[in-house]
Amino acid sequence: MTAPLEKNRPPKVTEQEARQVAEAARERDWRRPSFAKELFLGRFRLDLIHPHPLPAAEDVRRGEEFLARLREFCETRIDGALIEREARVPDEVINGLRELGALGMKIDIKYGGLGLTQVYYNKALALIGSASPAVGALLSAHQSIGVPQPLKTFGTEEQKAAFLPRLARHDISAFLLTEPDVGSDPARLATTAVPDGEDYVLDGVKLWTTNGVVADLLVVMARVPESEGHRGGITAFVVEAASEGITVEHRNAFMGLRGLENGVTRFHRVRVPAVNRIGPEGAGLKIALTTLNTGRLSLPAMCVGAGKWCLKIAREWSAEREQWGRPVARHEAVGAKISFIAATTFALEAVLDLSSQLADEDRNDIRIEAALAKLYGSEMAWLMADELVQIRGGRGFETADSLAARGERPVPAEQLLRDLRINRIFEGSTEIMHLLIAREAVDAHLSVAGELIDPEVSLGDRARAGGRATAFYARWLPQLVAGPGGLPGSYREFHPKGHPDLAVHLRYVERSARKLARSTFYGMSRWQGRMETKQGFLGRIVDIGAELFAMSAACVRAELLRSGEGPGREAYQLADVFCRQARIRVEELFTRLWSNTDDIDHRVVEGVLSGRYTWLEEGIVDPSGEGPWIADATPGPSVEENVHRPIP
């Protein structure tokens, strides 16, 4: 009935096999336009995002009504300091969220959910994440990557009717992909789902199962072995968390997000009905990646909330605290930090709202935009929190409880820094996001020239690829020579009388997009098949694209606020200073494309791994204890206490 245990260990795969698995899971078609994709190709398609898309009036009404109820709940029912001290979200908070309908924010009304748009779902996460990042993470994991999202896109009507009403009103969900020895390389997935009659039998161990400790329903990724009548491959299942054979063996504790219900889950001969399979066999990774296309927007939502709080505390504290006869905000060294926080928060919200509205309208492909929002939001929020700690000085390093104990306002700045750190790892680390976005950014090149640089392709196929590449580049490269960015009158609607000139920044974006595309082409020409190993170069290409996207979004949002009833003049000022700051970062990144230490870094790494520098490690003691680097995840019955804690 079940496969031999040795077959459940992570399979040994080559680099090429791992790449093939990841490539097969990609969405390869581009049926709808993408602003970010065009940007990486050197085409600044401002028409795809300007005028800024707007939500429908009814969506705004329902969204604002819910936000008002949620704000009252956050202010009166959530004690973030208590959650931090006790390292758990109280049952009464979760039950209150159930009563409020917060578990079903993204679930369609016909299944008992609130049916909020992506824009208002993200506003809700920013709000609740400011009250308690742990509660925000619970709701995000439940709806953004948990059972509701994959069912919405890939589930059958029967599955939706069976599970979505439960998830909207009561049940909590979790997403289980990572394993002790399997992180960003899904080709090595070891958990198996062996067909047995009308069921599948699951065996394996999953790590870092956010919500897994309290979940009622799980999305589990498992490998179905190929057999007669079964194509096999990594497959997605909805699994009842109370099923026999499931044990939550450990509740993990972390640097931050101390209320996170995250654990280790073991499956031993767990029977799952075949009707609970989401999509066909072998479609699990594609389902996971597609789910993350919009699911990733929940992380930058909470980063925006963090930026807003950083700005509030920086403003209040810097006006109150005096040094050398004046408030610290009036000193240039501190003022620069406040300006960075204000401008970056404005830009992050612009990126988030634009990407979310594009997702709601479903007229653009936002897979790159969402990935850029996650990457940029997590990196910039961390920097803003770090700057807030610096502005607060010793009080920034002191815990809120300690501040309160000696009679001062309990500002949890150090907690925010700890809580935000995981966002650079969650749902794709910064390094993985660089590679994921870079792969999409060079997709057009690989489509026409991939076989040309692949050493395993036959000479005949390579010759045909050469013909396709010649035709493509003969049309594309001339487009990168000149554009509207070189014309002083371009984008003049972004320079209204009495406002800062944002048109000059959009012209810079247009010129830089062409320069970015040329740089990508030069890199491919130089390294050809070795391009994928140039992760430093690719990361900088992506970071430049992220800055250009953020500049575009900031300018478009400023014009939206000016043309409406919003604070247009102030928005223009924030967009202007953000673009000026971003342009400095972009110029540095362009320089570092070709002037860097990548090659010598590689040689040093080889020396470190070979032991040539062990003398540098002398003179310390190692405080870490004994034990394996990676815990044993051999399938079998659990010998641990089940710490699964469903919320009544």
Side-chain angles (χ1 to χ4, degrees):
M1 181 176 68
T2 57
L5 292 185
E6 54 268 19
K7 290 186 179 180
N8 292 82
R9 300 183 188 279
K12 299 292 184 182
V13 295
T14 65
E15 182 178 352
Q16 182 179 9
E17 289 169 337
R19 189 164 55 246
Q20 288 172 345
V21 169
E23 187 67 18
R26 282 184 60 247
E27 285 187 79
R28 300 191 180 189
D29 298 327
W30 292 87
R31 300 184 180 89
R32 292 167 294 169
S34 165
F35 173 81
K37 177 176 182 288
E38 293 294 307
L39 196 67
F40 280 108
L41 284 171
R43 299 190 282 254
F44 181 49
R45 291 287 308 278
L46 186 62
D47 61 295
L48 293 177
I49 61 173
H50 174 67
H52 194 295
L54 292 170
E58 176 61 17
D59 291 335
V60 173
R61 184 191 65 79
R62 291 192 303 107
E64 292 295 338
E65 286 181 356
F66 176 72
L67 287 181
R69 298 197 305 273
L70 182 62
R71 173 174 289 278
E72 181 183 6
F73 181 86
C74 290
E75 291 174 344
T76 61
R77 304 278 296 276
I78 296 180
D79 186 341
L82 177 69
I83 293 171
E84 173 73 2
R85 283 194 300 270
E86 297 189 351
R88 69 183 273 177
V89 178
D91 291 1
E92 55 267 26
V93 171
I94 295 177
N95 283 323
L97 293 170
R98 287 167 169 163
E99 295 167 8
L100 201 61
L103 294 186
M105 286 188 285
K106 285 194 71 179
I107 297 175
D108 196 286
I109 294 173
K110 71 178 180 178
Y111 298 113
L114 298 180
L116 296 185
T117 62
Q118 186 72 39
V119 169
Y120 275 95
Y121 171 66
N122 287 338
K123 289 181 183 295
L125 287 179
L127 175 60
I128 204 163
S130 67
S132 169
V135 177
L138 184 149
L139 289 176
S140 172
H142 166 68
Q143 292 173 85
S144 298
I145 59 174
V147 177
Q149 190 63 32
L151 280 190
K152 176 182 178 181
T153 308
F154 297 97
T156 65
E157 189 53 47
E158 291 76 16
Q159 290 172 332
K160 294 175 184 178
F163 297 120
L164 291 182
R166 292 170 53 184
L167 294 160
R169 292 191 291 265
H170 186 277
D171 287 4
I172 298 171
S173 69
F175 176 81
L176 280 64
L177 172 63
T178 305
E179 298 177 359
D181 200 23
V182 180
S184 300
D185 182 7
R188 303 179 68 247
L189 198 76
T191 298
T192 58
V194 179
D196 184 45
E198 297 299 313
D199 297 336
Y200 289 84
V201 180
L202 268 62
D203 282 279
V205 178
K206 295 293 185 179
L207 177 62
W208 296 324
T209 59
T210 298
N211 287 359
V213 178
V214 297
D216 304 286
L217 287 171
L218 316 172
V219 176
V220 181
M221 297 293 166
R223 184 184 302 278
V224 177
E226 184 178 352
S227 63
E228 185 177 351
H230 294 275
R231 60 172 293 184
I234 298 172
T235 306
F237 299 90
V238 178
V239 181
E240 298 279 358
S243 299
E244 183 178 353
I246 296 181
T247 306
V248 179
E249 295 188 331
H250 182 69
R251 184 186 186 276
N252 300 319
F254 300 101
M255 171 199 293
L257 292 182
R258 290 181 175 171
L260 198 67
E261 299 291 353
N262 180 296
V264 177
T265 303
R266 178 178 293 271
F267 298 87
H268 177 59
R269 298 179 181 174
V270 178
R271 301 191 73 84
V272 180
V275 294
N276 284 20
R277 188 188 70 218
I278 307 175
E281 291 181 357
L285 281 184
K286 184 178 289 290
I287 289 171
L289 292 178
T290 303
T291 296
L292 284 171
N293 280 345
T294 55
R296 283 197 176 98
L297 290 175
S298 63
L299 260 177
M302 287 183 281
C303 291
V304 167
K308 289 174 178 286
W309 185 79
C310 286
L311 180 59
K312 180 178 185 294
I313 298 300
R315 173 179 57 82
E316 294 175 351
W317 165 251
S318 299
E320 177 73 19
R321 175 67 162 167
E322 289 191 1
Q323 292 282 273
W324 296 297
R326 54 179 170 165
V328 295
R330 304 294 182 188
H331 292 280
E332 188 174 278
V334 175
K337 298 179 187 299
I338 297 173
S339 175
F340 167 74
I341 293 173
T344 304
T345 297
F346 177 81
L348 287 189
E349 188 168 38
V351 166
L352 177 68
D353 280 4
L354 177 61
S355 301
S356 300
Q357 188 59 44
L358 291 174
D360 285 332
E361 293 188 357
D362 202 29
R363 62 183 171 92
N364 284 19
D365 189 321
I366 67 151
R367 75 183 84 161
I368 299 181
E369 286 83 346
L372 287 173
K374 188 273 177 190
L375 168 69
Y376 197 70
S378 60
E379 289 293 325
M380 300 307 276
W382 166 259
L383 291 177
M384 286 191 289
D386 187 55
E387 293 288 39
L388 176 65
V389 168
Q390 193 70 17
I391 290 171
R392 288 275 290 162
R395 290 172 174 86
F397 193 66
E398 190 173 1
T399 67
D401 280 349
S402 178
L403 289 165
R406 59 183 186 81
E408 291 195 4
R409 181 175 172 178
V411 179
E414 61 83 28
Q415 181 192 335
L416 180 70
L417 194 63
R418 290 188 286 103
D419 288 341
L420 284 173
R421 186 59 182 83
I422 187 58
N423 291 339
R424 299 173 64 203
I425 301 171
F426 259 169
E427 297 179 19
S429 68
T430 291
E431 293 73 25
I432 292 299
M433 296 306 298
H434 276 150
L435 298 181
L436 183 152
I437 297 168
R439 174 61 185 86
E440 299 297 349
V442 301
D443 183 60
H445 300 281
L446 294 179
S447 296
V448 299
E451 293 181 338
L452 194 63
I453 61 177
D454 187 344
E456 297 188 7
V457 170
S458 68
L459 290 177
D461 289 340
R462 196 174 301 178
R464 285 186 288 273
R468 291 195 302 271
T470 299
F472 172 78
Y473 289 119
R475 295 190 306 271
W476 179 68
L477 286 172
Q479 299 173 5
L480 305 182
V481 176
L487 303 176
S490 298
Y491 316 115
R492 65 182 61 189
E493 68 268 32
F494 286 88
H495 190 192
K497 185 177 180 180
H499 292 68
D501 185 3
L502 299 187
V504 67
H505 300 311
L506 292 178
R507 292 195 291 272
Y508 176 85
V509 171
E510 195 278 335
R511 295 194 305 273
S512 296
R514 288 186 280 114
K515 182 177 180 181
L516 181 64
R518 293 194 301 268
S519 299
T520 304
F521 174 73
Y522 296 155
M524 290 196 66
S525 302
R526 177 176 177 178
W527 293 303
Q528 299 187 26
R530 294 186 295 122
M531 179 77 157
E532 66 181 26
T533 69
K534 299 299 179 180
Q535 295 177 3
F537 176 85
L538 293 173
R540 294 176 198 113
I541 288 287
V542 169
D543 285 341
I544 293 169
E547 294 283 4
L548 299 181
F549 178 40
M551 290 175 66
S552 305
C555 291
V556 169
R557 181 175 181 81
E559 175 59 18
L560 171 68
L561 293 175
R562 186 196 69 84
S563 60
E565 298 179 358
R569 194 177 303 276
E570 294 79 6
Y572 256 67
Q573 185 178 24
L574 288 171
D576 178 50
V577 71
F578 171 77
C579 287
R580 291 176 185 274
Q581 293 171 1
R583 288 172 67 161
I584 294 171
R585 295 191 291 266
V586 168
E587 289 304 310
E588 179 183 355
L589 286 165
F590 269 127
T591 298
R592 290 177 57 211
L593 284 178
W594 312 109
S595 178
N596 53 65
T597 61
D598 291 351
D599 290 339
I600 195 168
D601 289 342
H602 177 74
R603 291 195 292 272
V604 170
V605 169
E606 290 300 316
V608 169
L609 294 179
S610 67
R612 291 204 301 271
Y613 306 131
T614 53
W615 51 268
L616 193 57
E617 302 166 12
E618 296 173 0
I620 62 165
V621 293
D622 183 354
S624 56
E626 298 296 324
W629 287 105
I630 299 171
D632 179 42
T634 302
S638 179
V639 295
E640 304 290 337
E641 176 189 358
N642 189 358
V643 297
H644 183 228
R645 182 177 66 87
I647 309 299

